Amino acid sequence: MATGAMNPVKALSDATLRPYWLDDPSRPEPLPALVGDEYCDLLVVGGGYTGLWTALNAKERDPGRDVVLIEGQESGWAASGRNGGFCAASLTHGWANGRARWPAELTALEELGHRNLDGLEAALARHGIDCDFERTGEIDVATAPHQVHELKEAAEEAELLGVHGHVFLDRDAVRAEVDSPTFLAGLWNRRGVAMLHPARLAWGLKRACLALGVRIYEHTPGTGLSSRSATVAVRTPYGRVFARHAALGTNAFPSLVKRLRPYIAPVYDYALMTEPLTPEQLASVGWQRRQGLSDSANHFHYFRLTADRRILWGGYDIVYRYGGGVRAEYDHHPATYRRLAGHFFRCFPQLEGVRFSHTWGGAIDTCSRFSAFFGTAHRGRVAYAMGFTGLGVGATRFGADVMLDLLSGERTERTELEMVRSKPLPFPPEPVRSVGIGVTQWAMTRADANGGRRNLWLKAMDKAGLGFDS
């Protein structure tokens, strides 16, 4: 709870139950649904970042390629328009996860990740996409004593591994950047993270695709996929699309390739957005360099400033629903909003009296290795990229290039990676999946309360390569 008299829950009383990013007057009008049959060279299924980057990059590689994109609702409406706007160079959900899984490739993966982020920034300039892109970096903050030691070790290890640009900040240094009485230390990734407006990125990619001749049909879900001879066919409610190749960017939603569904566990993440801070309120926090922040707990928060001086505050809870359904009624979770509000004012007691303008949630496509996996189906005519686990704002562009490489049959530096050639372990079926996730959440909470010490369950999960994260 906050240190003053205010009940944090009262700050939620006027909040709008919709994603702040999508509540924007610049939101484009939806495009018509597909009616009848379409024919093309490449069909892209999904109008989030994965699908939009795939369509755009396909046209940039070959302007003569005929590309169709179908989206079940509107482009950018799901995770691509609801996330925190942290655009990281990392392709592996952080270099520590990459080191644990692909140590021999870590240098190459880091280099490819930074090249991908540079390429993303260049594409924004080339296509005139204004999405408030800022190369601010990100600070991981310690809020418990054992995390200070962990951040020091991480800074030293990053330097030894040649992962540059990570700076350890002691208590005074981190509070000079962003002032919270809960901050004990920080690790600032100065060059590998940008902040942006996620929905405007999706809408800008949509406009760029249309300008290059991509035919986009919205409110057109793919309901079935088949192939024969040299053609892939995807059914939709009012028609079909026939294509030489297809790229699937459906992520948290059930894949049209059914054998892939056990690899994804959709989990729900939630966020709050404050009203705009006054100059005096912002000065009480500092935050002049506008970095993104996250704390170092297993159940962690992520937070950042928007262009209009609001604070986005999200994370902590990881909500999985039995059976792995993705439904609109799961998009809001008052218990989590209540918890997040209390945590916000504990972090920033000097902001007592600030109110929240928006609350929302959405599904993340979690996989057991916490970073995307790739492959083909239907004799190489269908490619997929999925499992970004909440760190896909930048990595989806890399995933798009991997899918295009795979469909072309090219051997590239991307397709030769063990990360690209391997798969995570699938999640077990229900009810084992729900029980396992519940036990893991309990164990993660215990570890946070016990100085980071991981019990036998978490150690066994680590050893098996199975995990659960947000």
Side-chain angles (χ1 to χ4, degrees):
M1 298 289 287
T3 56
M6 177 185 173
N7 178 354
V9 180
K10 291 184 178 179
L12 296 165
S13 61
D14 300 322
T16 298
L17 296 174
R18 73 172 67 97
Y20 165 77
W21 310 114
L22 297 174
D23 191 15
D24 188 316
S26 66
R27 181 173 184 165
E29 292 296 317
L31 296 170
L34 172 68
V35 176
D37 291 348
E38 269 280 19
Y39 299 83
C40 60
D41 297 321
L42 173 66
L43 168 63
V44 179
V45 181
Y49 294 146
T50 304
L52 291 165
W53 279 119
T54 303
L56 183 66
N57 291 357
K59 291 295 284 186
E60 289 197 327
R61 290 187 184 197
D62 179 2
R65 184 168 2 197
D66 189 17
V67 180
V68 167
L69 183 150
I70 61 172
E71 160 56 42
Q73 293 201 35
E74 297 177 28
S75 299
W77 76 277
S80 296
R82 300 173 185 231
N83 63 82
F86 288 63
C87 185
S90 178
L91 306 174
T92 60
H93 212 281
W95 64 265
N97 188 52
R99 174 206 61 204
R101 298 180 187 280
W102 306 285
E105 292 184 346
L106 184 60
T107 300
L109 288 167
E110 286 289 313
E111 180 186 348
L112 285 167
H114 282 279
R115 279 163 46 191
N116 180 65
L117 184 59
D118 291 341
L120 185 152
E121 185 175 13
L124 299 182
R126 188 164 60 251
H127 295 286
I129 299 174
D130 181 5
C131 59
D132 300 332
F133 184 92
E134 299 179 87
R135 288 255 196 169
T136 60
E138 179 182 4
I139 302 175
D140 290 330
V141 296
T143 56
H146 72 274
Q147 295 167 8
V148 178
H149 177 68
E150 290 172 357
L151 291 184
K152 281 183 180 177
E153 281 193 336
E156 294 167 359
E157 192 167 5
E159 192 62 33
L160 287 173
L161 292 169
V163 180
H164 302 299
H166 289 71
V167 179
F168 177 77
L169 305 172
D170 64 17
R171 178 184 177 278
D172 291 342
V174 72
R175 291 191 62 173
E177 295 296 332
V178 183
D179 191 14
S180 167
T182 67
F183 293 176
L184 305 179
L187 182 60
W188 186 1
N189 178 354
R190 300 190 65 152
R191 57 188 287 260
V193 182
M195 298 292 110
L196 53 74
H197 187 302
R200 289 182 186 171
L201 172 59
W203 300 335
L205 291 173
K206 173 182 171 179
R207 285 190 293 270
C209 286
L210 292 170
L212 293 183
V214 177
R215 300 194 302 286
I216 298 178
Y217 296 96
E218 296 182 326
H219 296 287
T220 303
T223 59
L225 184 153
S226 61
S227 65
R228 61 182 181 184
S229 63
T231 303
V232 174
V234 171
R235 294 190 305 277
T236 73
Y238 304 124
R240 295 171 297 177
V241 184
F242 298 92
R244 292 175 57 203
H245 295 105
L248 306 182
T250 51
N251 294 307
F253 296 91
S255 177
L256 292 177
V257 178
K258 292 182 179 180
R259 64 178 170 82
L260 298 177
R261 294 179 183 179
Y263 289 90
I264 295 295
V267 298
Y268 277 77
D269 180 49
Y270 297 91
L272 315 177
M273 185 70 82
T274 71
E275 63 189 353
L277 302 187
T278 66
E280 294 75 21
Q281 288 168 331
L282 185 56
S284 74
V285 178
W287 218 338
Q288 295 186 13
R289 303 187 215 244
R290 301 177 55 81
Q291 306 98 324
L293 285 94
S294 62
D295 61 51
S296 303
N298 289 309
H299 287 284
F300 64 92
H301 306 87
Y302 56 87
F303 38 118
R304 48 82 51 103
L305 286 172
T306 66
D308 58 350
R309 302 194 316 272
R310 300 169 185 262
I311 296 177
L312 177 144
W313 180 265
Y316 192 80
D317 278 350
I318 305 164
V319 180
Y320 173 77
R321 307 285 185 162
Y322 186 91
V326 181
R327 300 177 186 172
E329 57 262 37
Y330 299 160
D331 287 349
H332 298 288
H333 199 240
T336 295
Y337 299 151
R338 191 165 55 244
R339 189 173 296 115
L340 286 173
H343 294 173
F344 176 86
F345 289 109
R346 185 181 303 141
C347 182
F348 295 121
Q350 65 269 48
L351 295 181
E352 183 172 338
V354 168
R355 303 185 73 80
F356 297 106
S357 64
H358 294 75
T359 62
W360 72 93
I364 293 173
D365 57 326
T366 300
C367 73
S368 64
R369 72 184 196 185
F370 309 149
S371 55
F373 62 97
F374 318 89
T376 61
H378 291 265
R379 299 179 300 280
R381 296 198 170 277
V382 175
Y384 55 85
M386 57 199 304
F388 291 93
T389 315
L391 206 67
V393 177
T396 47
R397 181 178 179 273
F398 176 83
D401 278 329
V402 169
M403 286 197 289
L404 293 172
D405 290 350
L406 292 172
L407 290 174
S408 71
E410 295 179 59
R411 293 183 61 180
T412 69
E413 59 185 336
R414 289 179 287 263
T415 62
E416 292 298 294
L417 291 168
E418 175 64 20
M419 176 196 178
V420 170
R421 292 185 289 110
S422 63
K423 296 283 188 298
L425 290 172
F427 290 101
E430 298 289 13
V432 177
R433 177 186 292 201
S434 288
V435 172
I437 289 173
V439 171
T440 302
Q441 294 227 52
W442 170 83
M444 290 165 63
T445 301
R446 288 290 302 273
D448 284 338
N450 293 324
R453 291 185 292 275
R454 297 172 75 79
N455 64 13
L456 291 176
W457 175 264
L458 291 180
K459 290 177 180 177
M461 297 283 279
D462 293 339
K463 188 173 182 179
L466 269 171
F468 193 72
D469 205 354
S470 67

